[in-house]
Amino acid sequence: MTDSNQGDSVNIGGIAGLTPNVGAHLSLEDVYQQIRTTFLRHHPNGDAELLDNAFKTGRAMHVNQYRKSGEPYFFHPLAVAKFLAEWRLDAVSVACGLLHDTVEDTLMTNSEVQRQFGTEMAEIVDGLTKMSKLDFTDQTMLNAENVRKLLVAMDKDVRVLLVKLADRLHNMRTLSSFQEEKRRRIARETRELYAPLANRLGMSLVRAELEDLAFANLDPESYIEMRQIMDLKRQRSAAVIEEIRKTILLALREQGIVAEIFFRIKHLYSIWKKMGAQQKGIEDIYDWLAYRVICPDRASCYTALGLIHALYKPIPGRFKDYISLPKDNGYQSIHTSVMMTSGESFEIQFRTQDMDDYAEVGIASHWTYKDGRLANRQEINQASFLRRMVTLYKESRDSRDLVANLKGELKFQQIQVFTPKGDLRSLPENATPVDFAYAIHTDVGHHCVGAKVNGCIVSLRHVLKNGDRVEILTRADRKPSRNWLSFVASARAKTKIQTFIREEQRAIAISSGKERFEREARFFEIKLNSAELRLAMKARLKDLKFPSWEAFYASIGFNRVGPRLLLDPFIPKTKKVRAEEAPAIGLNTILVDDNAGILYVLASCCKPVWGDEIVGYTTRGRGISVHRAHCPHLALSAPDPECIVSVVWGKASKAVFNTELIVNTDDRHGMVAAISAAVQNSGFSLQRFSGGINDRSGGVFYMALRVKDRDNLVELIGTIRKIKGVFTVERVRGSYFGNLNSN
Ligand code: MN
């Protein structure tokens, strides 16, 4: 920390990808010696021998392999290990960096890693190998599978994530050797998943660089423009910046505080995003410059803050004390923004050297002094985020839910609220009392009926603010409503509610399935209480691959199978003449079937197709309107929970179903023709088609079409995805075209 530009370490030399590689002018051995030195600087008694062995093994395994740029492949693992050493990680992590691609790309097997380096390292390398062994054909599933594998591996050892971040950082720096399409895909995944993960782990420098590199690849024009503007702004203000620095330094010194002051330009992507969000021009962005005052101790941070507020006018609402209330990721610092007489303004942060070290490498600092042992509250908070992610993965049965929930978890800023006893809980921004209730305990969440915020009764959808004191009111007979999904913000609450609803639906399906089964058995005069018969049935159940009676009843309840699947061999011959089994309806479940005599309409806001997970809403006069389970319109219109009914599809009818797709593409020409040809060739008829340009200047197309059922639709989505230049194909969550004439 000697260079006054230290904070500018997001150092992108030219367009991302053109950055000189780590080994451009050094030998493998030279680079390795740098890593070794860095490692020993942070861990004077560290296991350097482990590193030496990993280096020798890795170099031998990757011998004669070259990257697309022509340099020896092993420079890549070296670069990864170099990051890990710079983040002050332990010997195991750095050694894993050196070996991370051996199992994937060389003849080395995981059991060899285990034999030579032990179980700990073998598990980390294995986690990384599994993550990279992914098929790149389907983008959404790639994300889902990647996330799942990352979480599984992280559950065992969080260092998997740290090595992966280092790997991704180097890949992003050297992205130019990939084709445009692959480059954009990696860049988008980086922006959506890895940069937010780095942020949540408190690794602010890594996050900043990942975001800027993704920015440069996804929107090169804006990136270059931003760079030029910021360079100019910085040159123009150079004298003023230095003057302010000296003024502050002097003021502190007069009070006997020996501080260091650095300044940095905030990273380009964050400035650019702010401009977009606030519809501001570059002149109006006042937060581009930030000073950082490193104070000798905690108390002098507050003294320094007071001095600055006496020197310059603070901007109201911009003061944040993350020293008393650390961020969820452990970050500590005091922030304020001040205005000068000239009208220019800047941000200024106060923290101690320890806090500053932490702010740069975040969670990685665990391994510096404490060897992975959890010691203080910020570290535990930090671990709690990791724990939340792992629970999330364990409780989400559907990987699409998992990814959606995780993205939600990563996207938001955190707020902190107090329990009645004065403990702190971190929640995402826009969290409600329901989120808070689930953060306390699952049972509190399941039974909450209302809340008091700072002593006043509020509704369950009330949005909490930083520093609120929240008390939850519960009632034993209350249970979660599907409705809550429309307003909860935390992934934890979402997952818990989804799980509850799924289990409740399953319980209903089991009881209605059992009832149907027994009714059917009575009809055929089969004596279910005969122990002998019961045994025979159990054997048949096993042959039919049902793990339990419950599973079988649930399948009947969900209308996946009929009771006769099991009963048939036990029906006396004389009874077999009975006519086709009529569709029976469960106690609480309503069958969506043209022959069942129930009045229903398919909601035009979300257009369910046969096979979708659905939910019914009883209306006056039009019978039951059938929505997709996660219809945003239904969620937003805050329907009466009493009117929600459980519905399942009846027999597949011959009808066709209206549905809509949204397709995001590269800005390639001929996209309209390619897509409509693919649709027509697959035998679907396009009802409507509309195209435009999305916010990343790619193409976006909406189409309305008719399909037979969900499988049919999934097949079509697969076909469109295969078109070159297509990034994503998704069903429109609600409806783009609205109510089409469905004759
Ligand atoms: Mn790699």
Side-chain angles (χ1 to χ4, degrees):
M1 187 75 58
T2 45
D3 170 359
S4 75
N5 291 342
Q6 211 276 342
D8 288 329
S9 20
V10 179
N11 180 12
I12 302 168
I15 291 292
L18 299 181
T19 318
N21 289 339
V22 63
H25 50 274
L26 294 170
S27 73
L28 294 170
E29 183 69 37
D30 290 341
V31 180
Y32 173 65
Q33 285 309 325
Q34 291 177 350
I35 296 171
R36 203 175 187 279
T37 311
T38 309
F39 169 74
L40 284 173
R41 192 165 64 237
H42 297 303
H43 304 264
N45 303 316
D47 189 355
E49 208 177 309
L50 181 71
L51 297 196
D52 294 343
N53 288 335
F55 170 66
K56 279 181 207 135
T57 307
R59 185 176 53 180
M61 295 316 295
H62 288 291
V63 76
N64 291 333
Q65 290 181 351
Y66 297 89
R67 298 199 97 191
K68 280 206 178 115
S69 56
E71 61 172 15
Y73 185 87
F74 196 57
F75 275 120
H76 165 64
L78 276 173
V80 172
K82 193 158 188 273
F83 288 135
L84 295 164
E86 281 163 2
W87 300 345
R88 306 165 211 184
L89 283 165
D90 63 339
V92 167
S93 310
V94 180
C96 283
L98 291 168
L99 297 176
H100 80 274
D101 275 336
T102 48
V103 177
E104 168 78 12
D105 292 337
T106 77
L107 293 173
M108 193 158 189
T109 63
N110 202 259
S111 49
E112 273 162 3
V113 177
Q114 170 150 23
R115 210 166 36 244
Q116 267 194 54
F117 297 95
T119 316
E120 202 182 2
M121 277 182 61
E123 274 185 4
I124 297 177
V125 173
D126 187 46
L128 291 158
T129 309
K130 283 195 179 126
M131 277 191 65
S132 52
K133 267 198 188 140
L134 288 166
D135 194 358
F136 277 82
T137 46
D138 181 329
Q139 203 198 348
T140 5
M141 286 323 283
L142 164 81
N143 272 331
E145 252 333 276
N146 242 341
V147 170
R148 181 170 288 275
K149 291 194 166 145
L150 180 73
L151 293 181
V152 175
M154 236 176 60
D155 189 18
K156 285 191 186 141
D157 196 325
V158 68
R159 285 171 294 187
V160 173
L161 176 54
L162 299 172
V163 180
K164 182 68 202 172
L165 280 173
D167 182 35
R168 179 53 62 108
L169 184 56
H170 188 242
N171 286 338
M172 286 298 291
R173 280 196 189 173
T174 53
L175 213 49
S176 61
S177 47
F178 291 112
Q179 279 181 337
E180 159 95 17
E181 203 177 309
K182 191 168 178 184
R183 222 161 61 205
R184 293 182 69 94
R185 195 166 47 217
I186 295 175
R188 189 162 305 132
E189 195 186 47
T190 301
R191 178 188 282 180
E192 284 180 11
L193 181 63
Y194 291 102
L197 272 172
N199 184 36
R200 293 305 302 275
L201 295 177
M203 306 172 79
S204 54
L205 292 183
V206 176
R207 176 258 185 124
E209 180 168 356
L210 286 177
E211 279 187 349
D212 273 358
L213 289 166
F215 182 28
N217 278 282
L218 290 169
D219 189 353
E221 279 172 26
S222 308
Y223 175 80
I224 293 168
E225 196 189 330
M226 281 300 299
R227 262 189 49 150
Q228 287 166 345
I229 293 173
M230 291 319 294
D231 281 349
L232 201 68
K233 221 171 155 73
R234 182 175 167 162
Q235 277 164 26
R236 277 204 202 126
S237 316
V240 185
I241 291 172
E242 185 52 25
E243 198 186 299
I244 293 173
R245 201 179 78 88
K246 280 190 181 137
T247 311
I248 298 174
L249 209 57
L250 205 71
L252 293 177
R253 204 163 288 162
E254 278 171 10
Q255 296 298 315
I257 298 175
V258 184
E260 285 180 280
I261 301 183
F262 308 99
F263 72 87
R264 69 187 174 96
I265 311 289
K266 294 200 167 169
H267 76 282
L268 297 179
Y269 182 65
S270 71
I271 301 174
W272 186 75
K273 219 168 56 178
K274 219 171 248 174
M275 285 168 57
Q278 301 172 359
Q279 301 284 320
K280 281 178 175 171
I282 190 75
E283 343 44 73
D284 301 323
I285 291 292
Y286 50 73
D287 259 359
W288 60 279
L289 178 67
Y291 288 93
R292 189 179 351 149
V293 182
I294 308 293
C295 298
D297 53 48
R298 201 182 148 115
S300 50
C301 291
Y302 291 92
T303 317
L305 171 77
L307 284 171
I308 300 299
H309 280 182
L311 271 175
Y312 306 99
K313 215 170 217 37
I315 299 171
R318 310 270 322 164
F319 166 68
K320 286 180 194 112
D321 181 358
Y322 296 119
I323 291 184
S324 303
L325 298 176
K327 281 192 186 178
D328 188 40
N329 62 18
Y331 175 86
Q332 285 189 297
S333 198
I334 295 174
H335 292 191
T336 188
S337 291
V338 298
M339 185 83 73
M340 292 179 291
T341 39
S342 65
E344 284 265 349
S345 63
F346 56 90
E347 186 181 274
I348 179 157
Q349 308 172 344
F350 307 87
R351 51 175 96 139
T352 64
Q353 185 64 56
D354 275 359
M355 295 173 192
D356 191 54
D357 289 349
Y358 190 86
E360 291 193 349
V361 294
I363 195 173
S365 72
H366 274 331
W367 283 273
T368 319
Y369 311 105
K370 301 177 190 90
D371 282 313
R373 198 171 45 78
L374 296 178
N376 58 40
R377 191 169 81 188
Q378 12 165 323
E379 287 170 352
I380 291 162
N381 273 347
Q382 184 138 77
S384 86
F385 162 67
L386 291 170
R387 234 186 3 253
R388 273 211 305 279
M389 296 218 317
V390 170
T391 337
L392 206 64
Y393 132 73
K394 283 185 170 154
E395 287 176 357
S396 305
R397 271 192 231 147
D398 189 326
S399 48
R400 281 166 304 181
D401 281 355
L402 172 69
V403 172
N405 291 350
L406 182 70
K407 275 188 185 160
E409 176 85 35
L410 291 173
K411 199 169 74 192
F412 290 104
Q413 296 281 322
Q414 297 280 310
I415 58 164
Q416 297 201 301
V417 297
F418 291 98
T419 68
K421 284 182 185 153
D423 291 335
L424 275 175
R425 285 285 186 285
S426 290
L427 292 172
E429 213 173 31
N430 297 320
T432 63
V434 177
D435 293 286
F436 178 80
Y438 277 104
I440 299 289
H441 194 276
T442 307
D443 279 338
V444 178
H446 282 351
H447 299 298
C448 67
V449 283
K452 280 188 196 169
V453 171
N454 306 325
C456 302
I457 297 268
V458 298
S459 81
L460 286 180
R461 49 174 75 224
H462 175 88
V463 174
L464 299 176
K465 283 190 288 300
N466 214 6
D468 277 348
R469 197 168 57 82
V470 188
E471 188 184 340
I472 295 296
L473 313 172
T474 59
R475 225 171 56 198
D477 62 344
R478 259 307 279 261
K479 58 179 193 179
S481 146
R482 182 182 286 279
N483 220 354
W484 293 357
L485 290 173
S486 66
F487 59 77
V488 294
S490 62
R492 180 182 163 84
K494 251 184 208 134
T495 311
K496 294 281 184 193
I497 298 166
Q498 282 161 348
T499 309
F500 180 90
I501 291 173
R502 223 169 269 146
E503 276 166 11
E504 193 183 37
Q505 282 173 342
R506 189 177 144 86
I508 292 170
I510 289 174
S511 82
S512 75
K514 182 162 187 270
E515 198 239 28
R516 229 176 107 188
F517 176 76
E518 286 167 354
R519 187 159 13 109
E520 202 81 348
R522 264 198 313 277
F523 180 86
F524 290 112
E525 291 166 26
I526 298 171
K527 302 259 175 310
L528 287 175
N529 48 7
S530 141
E532 199 185 332
L533 187 66
R534 224 39 208 187
L535 222 62
M537 281 187 171
K538 189 124 201 225
R540 178 162 166 77
L541 211 57
K542 216 175 145 195
D543 289 344
L544 291 169
K545 304 262 185 284
F546 286 99
S548 65
W549 279 100
E550 285 202 337
F552 179 61
Y553 292 147
S555 287
I556 299 176
F558 284 130
N559 274 32
R560 291 191 202 109
V561 300
R564 292 199 38 188
L565 178 68
L566 179 63
L567 286 175
D568 252 353
F570 306 100
I571 297 175
K573 285 211 173 61
T574 49
K575 294 279 177 191
K576 283 233 176 180
V577 283
R578 193 200 161 187
E580 261 278 271
E581 173 197 342
I585 299 161
L587 280 177
N588 303 309
T589 306
I590 294 160
L591 207 61
V592 177
D593 187 322
D594 289 335
N595 302 316
I598 295 205
L599 186 60
Y600 73 88
V601 287
L602 298 178
S604 61
C605 54
C606 56
K607 301 189 168 41
V609 306
W610 195 90
D612 279 340
E613 208 188 317
I614 45 175
V615 57
Y617 190 72
T618 23
T619 61
R620 250 179 243 171
R622 285 182 304 126
I624 295 166
S625 101
V626 176
H627 295 259
R628 272 154 71 190
H630 302 291
C631 170
H633 181 78
L634 186 64
L636 281 176
S637 60
D640 182 356
E642 300 291 305
C643 293
I644 302 260
V645 288
S646 144
V647 288
V648 292
W649 295 102
K651 289 214 186 78
S653 71
K654 288 197 185 68
V656 287
F657 296 86
N658 287 310
T659 187
E660 297 179 8
L661 292 178
I662 170 170
V663 182
N664 272 291
T665 69
D666 206 340
D667 47 359
R668 210 166 72 93
H669 295 292
M671 224 55 205
V672 176
I675 294 172
S676 53
V679 174
Q680 247 120 46
N681 288 342
S682 324
F684 293 89
S685 73
L686 268 178
Q687 305 289 309
R688 292 199 189 176
F689 194 91
S690 148
I693 291 172
N694 67 17
D695 51 5
R696 297 184 212 91
S697 67
V700 58
F701 301 95
Y702 290 90
M703 57 184 108
L705 33 83
R706 291 187 179 158
V707 296
K708 280 209 299 283
D709 55 30
R710 190 182 162 92
D711 289 347
N712 200 215
L713 178 60
V714 168
E715 199 184 299
L716 174 66
I717 289 177
T719 310
I720 301 175
R721 262 198 196 119
K722 285 197 199 104
I723 300 171
K724 196 165 183 294
V726 166
F727 290 138
T728 59
V729 186
E730 278 159 40
R731 280 175 80 180
V732 176
R733 284 236 305 147
S735 164
Y736 176 79
F737 295 105
N739 202 353
L740 276 184
N741 228 354
S742 49
N743 39 326

